[in-house]
C-alpha cells in the first residue's frame, strides 16, 4: 500500500462547511470504490489549500481510469465549493501494510478479512495477497460500496468476539461463523456476484472456533452441503477446509491450533 497526499486548492472565496462536504463526499466515493482504504481521513487547512493523506492499494490507484461514476460526479462537484481537482502526490510505500496482488488472472480467489486488516477483502487464491476492488467491474450500483460495508460489519463482529468481554460476543460470532446468519448470507451472495463478474472461482471464508474435539473438528462436514472438505495440508496455513461445490473455505477451529 502507498501513502498519498491529496491537495485541494481554492480558486475563489468559499466556506469551511462547503469544503468539508465536497472533500468528504469525494473521499467516501473513493473508499467505496476501493481506491483508498480505511475510514478516517484528517483534512488540514494550509493557506488556501486543503491537504488530505490517505492510503491507497497501489501507486496508480487514484488514476482517473479507475474512477467510478460516483467518484466522477464528486470530482465535478468540487467546483461548487470553489475547489480545483486535487493534485496527487505519492509520498511512498507504507512499510507496515501488505502489497497488492500482481495483476493477473488467478485460478481462484477468496473473500477473506479480519479486524486487523484494512486492505481489500478480495484475495488472490494463489498468493493470498489483496486484489484492489477497482480492478474488477462494479459489484453493485456502480461501485463496491456493498463489499466495503460488508467488510466493515464483519470486522466489527470479529473484534467483538475476539475481545470476548460481553454478551454480544455470541451474536457477533454467529454472524461470522454460521451459514444462516444475515452477514454470512450477504457475504456469500457478494462472493457469487464477484465470481460472475470476474469469471474466476470465488470462495467465502467461514470463521471457525469451538468444537467438541480435534478429531470431531477435522471430520466436520461442509456447513452448506454436508460433504467432505478437509484438506490434507492447509492452504496458506489458514484454510484447512475447502468446498469447491459451495465455494467456502474455513480454518480448523482456533481452539485446536
Amino acid at each position: 500500500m502507498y501513502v498519498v497526499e491529496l491537495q485541494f486548492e481554492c480558486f475563489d472565496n468559499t466556506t469551511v462547511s462547503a469544503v468539508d462536504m465536497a472533500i468528504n463526499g469525494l473521499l467516501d466515493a473513493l473508499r467505496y470504490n476501493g481506491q483508498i482504504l480505511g475510514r478516517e481521513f484528517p483534512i488540514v487547512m494550509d493557506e488556501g489549500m486543503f491537504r488530505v493523506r490517505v492510503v491507497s492499494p497501489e501507486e496508480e490507484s487514484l488514476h482517473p481510469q479507475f474512477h467510478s461514476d460516483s467518484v466522477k460526479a464528486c470530482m465535478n462537484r468540487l467546483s461548487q465549493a470553489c475547489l480545483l481537482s486535487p493534485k496527487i502526490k505519492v509520498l511512498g510505500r507504507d512499510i507496515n501494510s501488505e502489497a497488492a496482488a500482481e495483476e493477473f488472472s488467478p485460478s481462484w480467489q477468496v473473500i477473506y478479512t479480519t479486524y486487523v486488516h484494512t486492505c481489500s477483502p478480495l484475495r488472490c487464491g494463489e498468493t493470498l495477497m489483496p486484489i484492489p476492488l477497482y480492478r474488477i467491474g462494479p459489484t453493485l450500483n456502480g461501485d463496491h460500496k456493498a463489499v466495503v460495508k460488508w467488510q466493515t460489519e464483519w470486522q466489527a463482529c470479529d473484534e467483538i468476539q475476539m475481545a470476548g468481554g460481553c454478551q454480544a460476543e455470541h451474536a457477533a460470532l454467529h454472524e461470522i461463523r454460521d451459514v444462516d446468519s444475515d452477514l454470512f448470507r450477504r457475504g456469500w451472495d457478494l462472493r457469487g456476484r464477484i465470481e460472475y463478474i470476474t469469471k474466476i472461482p470465488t470462495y467465502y471464508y467461514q470463521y471457525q472456533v469451538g468444537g467438541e474435539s480435534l478429531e470431531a473438528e477435522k471430520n466436520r462436514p461442509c456447513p452448506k452441503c454436508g460433504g467432505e472438505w478437509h484438506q490434507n495440508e492447509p492452504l496458506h496455513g489458514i484454510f484447512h477446509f475447502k468446498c469447491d461445490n459451495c465455494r467456502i473455505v474455513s480454518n480448523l477451529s482456533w481452539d485446536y491450533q
Side-chain angles (χ1 to χ4, degrees), residues 36-53:
I36 62 175
L37 305 167
R39 283 181 280 176
E40 296 186 10
F41 312 106
I43 302 174
V44 178
M45 185 166 58
D46 181 19
E47 296 182 359
M49 182 176 294
F50 295 85
R51 304 177 189 271
V52 185
R53 287 192 177 181

Side-chain angles (χ1 to χ4, degrees), residues 224-235:
K224 284 188 79 71
C225 70
E228 291 188 17
W229 64 328
H230 184 255
Q231 303 291 297
N232 292 327
E233 294 293 332
L235 302 170

Side-chain angles (χ1 to χ4, degrees), residues 77-97:
R77 283 198 291 268
L78 289 175
S79 60
Q80 297 176 15
C82 301
L83 294 172
L84 297 173
S85 295
K87 296 177 181 178
I88 299 172
K89 182 180 181 182
V90 178
L91 300 181
R93 182 80 172 267
D94 178 6
I95 62 175
N96 286 327
S97 62

Side-chain angles (χ1 to χ4, degrees), residues 29-247:
L30 288 169
R31 176 177 173 244
Y32 290 139
N33 198 42
Q35 290 175 268
I36 62 175
L37 305 167
R39 283 181 280 176
E40 296 186 10
F41 312 106
I43 302 174
V44 178
M45 185 166 58
D46 181 19
E47 296 182 359
M49 182 176 294
F50 295 85
R51 304 177 189 271
V52 185
R53 287 192 177 181
V54 300
V55 174
S56 64
E58 301 173 288
E59 278 190 274
E60 67 276 14
S61 297
L62 296 178
H63 193 282
Q65 67 177 314
F66 300 123
H67 288 351
S68 65
D69 290 342
S70 180
V71 171
K72 293 174 183 176
C74 288
M75 283 285 191
N76 292 333
R77 283 198 291 268
L78 289 175
S79 60
Q80 297 176 15
C82 301
L83 294 172
L84 297 173
S85 295
K87 296 177 181 178
I88 299 172
K89 182 180 181 182
V90 178
L91 300 181
R93 182 80 172 267
D94 178 6
I95 62 175
N96 286 327
S97 62
E98 296 182 74
E102 294 183 11
E103 193 163 1
F104 73 103
S105 182
S107 59
W108 66 287
Q109 53 197 11
V110 58
I111 303 295
Y112 168 75
T113 191
T114 73
Y115 78 96
V116 298
H117 289 120
T118 58
C119 59
S120 167
L122 180 62
R123 304 285 191 123
C124 171
E126 295 169 26
T127 66
L128 205 61
M129 296 176 74
I131 300 172
L133 292 173
Y134 54 78
R135 284 190 192 168
I136 67 175
T139 311
L140 291 170
N141 301 320
D143 60 13
H144 303 287
K145 182 176 182 178
V147 177
V148 175
K149 297 290 282 185
W150 165 86
Q151 181 182 25
T152 300
E153 293 177 45
W154 202 102
Q155 290 175 335
C157 290
D158 189 30
E159 187 165 12
I160 289 172
Q161 68 89 22
M162 285 294 290
C166 62
Q167 290 298 316
E169 169 193 358
H170 305 292
L173 181 58
H174 166 67
E175 290 297 330
I176 62 178
R177 182 188 60 189
D178 300 336
V179 297
D180 62 344
S181 72
D182 292 338
L183 191 59
F184 192 104
R185 285 197 297 263
R186 184 150 32 98
W188 194 80
D189 287 345
L190 287 169
R191 171 219 62 81
R193 177 63 179 166
I194 291 174
E195 178 169 315
Y196 175 79
I197 293 168
T198 62
K199 311 303 180 187
I200 297 171
T202 305
Y203 291 70
Y204 184 82
Y205 170 62
Q206 179 211 23
Y207 181 90
Q208 175 68 9
V209 70
E212 298 177 1
S213 66
L214 176 58
E215 189 63 26
E217 179 62 18
K218 286 182 178 179
N219 292 319
R220 69 180 171 96
C222 169
K224 284 188 79 71
C225 70
E228 291 188 17
W229 64 328
H230 184 255
Q231 303 291 297
N232 292 327
E233 294 293 332
L235 302 170
H236 305 297
I238 300 175
F239 308 132
H240 298 77
F241 302 88
K242 182 171 182 274
C243 180
D244 294 325
N245 291 324
C246 301
R247 298 286 201 258

